[in-house]
Amino acid sequence: MNRRALLTSFAGVAVAGILTPELAQAVGQWSQAAASGIDWRLAFADLDADVAPAPMRLIAGRPPADLAGSLFRNGPGKFRRAGGSVDHWFDGDGLMRAFRIADGKARLAARFIDTPKRRADQAANAVVTQGFGTADRPGATASSSDDANAANISVMPVGGELWALWEAGSPTAIDPTDLSTKGMRTLRPDLAHMPFLAHPRAEPDGDIWSLGVAGRQAIVWRLGRDGALKSADVIALPRASYVHDFTATPRHLILILQPWIEGPSGDTYADRFSWRPADGTIILVLDKNDLSTRRVFEVPALFAFHYGAAWEEPDGTLRFDACASDNPDFATLGAREVLKGVFTPRASATLRLVSLSPGGAARIEPVGVVAEFPRADSRLAGSPRRYSVHATSDGGTPLFHGLATYDWKGARSDAFDFGPTHLMEEAVFVPRPGGAAELDGWLLAPSVNLTAKATELHVFDARRVAAGPLATWRADVALPVSLHGAFVSA
Amino acid sequence: MMPDPIHPPARAKSIARRLIAVLAAAACLAVVPAIAADPGGASLTVTFHGLSSGKGAVMVSLAADPAGFEGKAAPASQARIVVAGDTASATFTGLAPGAYAIRAFHDLVGDGKLKTNPFGIPTEPFAFSNNARGVMGPPSWPQAAFAIKAGANTQSINLD
């Protein structure tokens, strides 16, 4: 598409008065990517069968000798069936990937998660089961949240298993050795089919906290490190916000109730929500040991999927990072369009620091860096920390093609950009054995190489990201871009 | 990320409410296989399969019209079948030939009630005649209705 055609196609956007300088830049970069023949749709193509374990090829650099373990990653892997397809990126079948690293070599395997949803859709030869942004079709049989559970968002190693997590239903247990599905985990019989978010918060050497949200109610899950349930309490919320993530300090749970608010009707779950920026964002701070004790903060409207681990300053101020945008357009529009091969440049999520002071004041400071999939050195979860890790982009394709850390103390971004020929996935921090300093270790992140048409795995020195990967392995196959991962040391 | 049944939020409650309305009637009733009103009428033997726990009771409600099926009127008959294996069956006799539909749940704990989680999603197995399945709620009368003719009739329902 030439620039004139491109801009013509955006006439509606311009008329609406939203052609910001950032958007104009993104449009220009998209034009360059299109002109160069880059086909990012590969990252959203279907994988039709499991991928047996196979060696990856080292194509650049030298892997760290003491890097050993398995990077497990989850994300949707199949979207289309003859009789009907999903309409939203978040509704594809969960695909568990294992990148296993030992002795400087890497192997890759991937296996679909055997959910009731996948079975029902396979049997119907159509995606009949409803999802986040996909309506049910004739032949749908889901009668509980877990019948529609795609187990496709994240993965949590716990109790010798992997739990593939969705958001609105139970964890699905996976065998880490062969990625076979062991079944859904009901944490207590009376809590079957309750929602369990894809982003639990693990205290270093402590408990695992999670939430499940349904309208103006939430369940607060507290699990031991072995995955055994310690408590589950239902709490009331002041509004029916969309909640994908939350954050925590050692003493607090922090729930961010953005003004994307559920209403009574809509063709799909996502369509039931409406964006009401004038209502602002409500932040609840709960005491972990007494959930009835809560403080309420109010900040301007923001939309976010993901937050970083929070910490408490000596003066009692709570801080956390958020990857937030000014509206939910990616959730409602962008993540649908990518499955149809359409990319509409929009303002991306950017990194922001949220501060909640003991006096009740709340502040959001923008950094001005495009950022999603925030991570950190997980050994410091809940403690004051200096760095955030995130994916980044300067436009041109959907999602991201760079990796960065942000130094909150030095106000400095350390970034590496693969350019629009790669779609970069979330990076996971792996501590260097024997090291203790923050970010002393590696960032492990796959990308979909659009020109090589293959999935790659990159290892970065977490403290020298701009220097580029220390090593890159390439698989023989391109897997669809994944969402979230976890590393298990050998 | 997501629930209708999926996304449990607001809709879960109405789903649960409809299911419970439909299934509750099955719980109200009493005892064992329903009994004859018309010794010369038709009979129905309904067999439930897949009762893997091998315990509790199956609560069955047999309706002769949509209102009875939807819990808005009394059903034609009801039964409570004590489970002692992986199948359970009951015979309803003295039935007038016509259209009927069954709703049932497996009362695993034996308290006569359909258990739900805190957000209202049933946690005990339930099923309907024709093995009909609704989406986040009960199936419709047309989906679950079947004909009972003069003489002996059967229905086979997968429950767990």
Side-chain angles (χ1 to χ4, degrees):
Chain A
M1 185 182 283
N2 63 35
R3 177 173 291 251
R4 171 173 296 192
L6 184 70
L7 291 175
T8 302
S9 74
F10 278 97
V13 173
V15 166
I18 325 172
L19 192 59
T20 61
E22 294 80 6
L23 191 54
Q25 182 191 14
V27 169
Q29 280 154 350
W30 183 46
S31 179
Q32 288 169 17
S36 65
I38 294 165
D39 189 353
W40 53 265
R41 295 175 299 179
L42 177 68
F44 302 93
D46 283 5
L47 182 71
D48 285 320
D50 295 342
V51 174
M56 299 178 79
R57 189 159 51 88
L58 183 69
I59 60 165
R62 181 183 298 180
D66 43 357
L67 173 62
S70 297
L71 173 67
F72 298 103
R73 299 193 58 83
N74 196 359
K78 182 170 174 63
F79 310 93
R80 300 162 187 90
R81 296 186 184 276
S85 301
V86 304
D87 293 323
H88 199 288
W89 180 34
F90 300 163
D91 291 332
D93 292 338
L95 177 71
M96 188 64 70
R97 295 92 162 152
F99 298 87
R100 300 185 197 274
I101 303 167
D103 305 322
K105 297 186 168 67
R107 295 170 66 80
L108 174 62
R111 194 161 177 177
F112 280 101
I113 299 167
D114 183 14
T115 59
K117 169 181 159 58
R118 179 170 162 86
R119 288 188 179 201
D121 292 347
Q122 269 179 331
N125 198 24
V127 177
V128 295
T129 309
Q130 63 270 50
F132 176 80
T134 302
D136 59 272
R137 290 192 175 84
T141 57
S143 61
S144 88
S145 47
D146 282 330
D147 289 337
N149 186 340
N152 63 352
I153 304 300
S154 70
V155 54
M156 175 171 71
V158 64
E161 300 181 325
L162 304 175
W163 285 6
L165 301 176
W166 188 45
E167 170 166 299
S170 305
T172 301
I174 308 291
D175 185 329
T177 59
D178 64 1
L179 306 184
S180 60
T181 301
K182 299 168 78 172
M184 285 188 189
R185 288 288 174 257
T186 295
L187 297 172
R188 214 170 63 197
D190 60 309
L191 300 175
H193 315 312
M194 288 292 280
F196 190 103
L197 292 190
H199 296 291
R201 292 275 162 199
E203 300 168 342
D205 305 315
D207 290 341
I208 298 166
W209 295 79
S210 186
L211 292 181
V213 177
R216 294 173 61 163
Q217 284 184 294
I219 184 167
V220 178
W221 302 98
R222 183 177 195 164
L223 283 60
R225 293 300 290 200
D226 59 355
L229 182 65
K230 288 190 168 180
S231 66
D233 296 288
V234 173
I235 62 170
L237 302 177
R239 61 162 58 151
S241 288
Y242 175 72
V243 176
H244 177 76
D245 191 6
F246 69 105
T247 186
T249 70
R251 295 199 296 134
H252 308 101
L253 303 177
I254 303 175
L255 281 61
I256 300 91
L257 303 177
Q258 52 201 357
W260 198 37
I261 298 176
E262 187 174 6
S265 59
D267 291 342
T268 68
Y269 176 67
D271 292 319
R272 294 209 296 269
F273 288 81
S274 58
W275 180 241
R276 302 180 201 167
D279 292 354
T281 296
I282 297 172
I283 299 176
L284 297 185
V285 178
L286 308 181
D287 185 326
K288 282 180 174 176
N289 292 315
D290 177 6
L291 297 177
S292 66
T293 301
R294 61 173 64 174
R295 287 184 285 156
V296 181
F297 295 85
E298 294 185 15
V299 295
L302 58 79
F303 178 86
F305 282 111
H306 303 120
Y307 310 100
W311 69 91
E312 184 168 1
E313 304 283 3
D315 70 355
T317 299
L318 304 179
R319 292 214 161 88
F320 61 93
D321 42 335
C323 292
S325 49
D326 295 334
N327 57 58
D329 284 357
F330 182 76
T332 56
L333 301 170
R336 285 184 162 124
E337 291 170 348
V338 290
L339 290 189
K340 300 190 186 312
V342 174
F343 170 55
T344 305
R346 294 192 171 87
S348 300
T350 56
L351 189 62
R352 309 174 194 205
L353 184 67
V354 182
S355 301
L356 309 174
S357 77
R363 213 153 44 106
I364 300 181
E365 298 161 66
V367 169
V369 174
V370 169
E372 245 300 5
F373 302 131
R375 304 283 301 226
D377 183 333
S378 58
R379 296 172 298 182
L380 294 174
S383 303
R385 62 185 159 86
R386 179 169 173 176
Y387 297 99
S388 297
V389 176
H390 60 86
T392 191
S393 173
D394 61 0
T397 66
L399 304 187
F400 308 95
H401 36 82
L403 168 67
T405 60
Y406 189 76
D407 174 357
W408 293 101
K409 186 175 173 191
R412 195 180 70 91
S413 180
D414 180 17
F416 182 82
D417 185 7
F418 281 95
T421 57
H422 287 246
L423 288 200
M424 194 73 199
E425 305 183 33
E426 172 208 64
V428 172
F429 174 71
V430 179
R432 187 188 312 275
E438 184 174 2
L439 287 193
D440 183 3
W442 306 285
L443 296 175
L444 216 46
S447 70
V448 181
N449 182 326
L450 300 172
T451 47
K453 297 187 177 8
T455 289
E456 296 181 353
L457 179 65
H458 312 283
V459 186
F460 288 80
D461 180 334
R463 296 193 286 194
R464 296 181 66 239
V465 175
L470 296 172
T472 294
W473 292 278
R474 182 179 292 167
D476 293 333
V477 61
L479 300 181
V481 66
S482 67
L483 287 170
H484 298 288
F487 187 80
V488 178
S489 295
Chain B
M1 288 166 252
M2 343 212 188
D4 270 10
I6 312 185
H7 299 102
R11 211 176 135 193
K13 284 224 159 151
S14 66
I15 291 154
R17 222 175 279 129
R18 279 190 300 145
L19 270 174
I20 289 163
V22 167
L23 291 165
C28 298
L29 267 214
V31 217
V32 201
I35 316 304
D38 170 8
S43 71
L44 170 69
T45 298
V46 54
T47 304
F48 296 93
H49 299 273
L51 308 171
S52 52
S53 71
K55 63 176 187 179
V58 179
M59 309 296 283
V60 191
S61 174
L62 175 67
D65 52 49
F69 180 67
E70 291 160 12
K72 297 172 183 164
S77 190
Q78 288 172 293
R80 177 176 184 271
I81 314 168
V82 174
V83 173
D86 60 1
T87 66
S89 65
T91 300
F92 297 83
T93 58
L95 301 170
Y100 288 80
I102 291 169
R103 56 189 193 262
F105 70 92
H106 189 170
D107 179 15
L108 290 165
V109 297
D111 64 353
K113 294 174 187 159
L114 177 67
K115 285 274 193 288
T116 64
N117 73 22
F119 291 172
I121 304 289
T123 57
E124 290 180 316
F126 55 88
F128 304 88
S129 41
N130 299 337
N131 289 308
R133 298 189 63 168
V135 178
M136 289 336 264
S140 63
W141 167 263
Q143 290 173 293
F146 62 99
I148 289 183
K149 298 172 181 168
N153 297 267
T154 60
Q155 264 284 318
S156 180
I157 297 176
N158 300 318
L159 189 48
D160 274 15

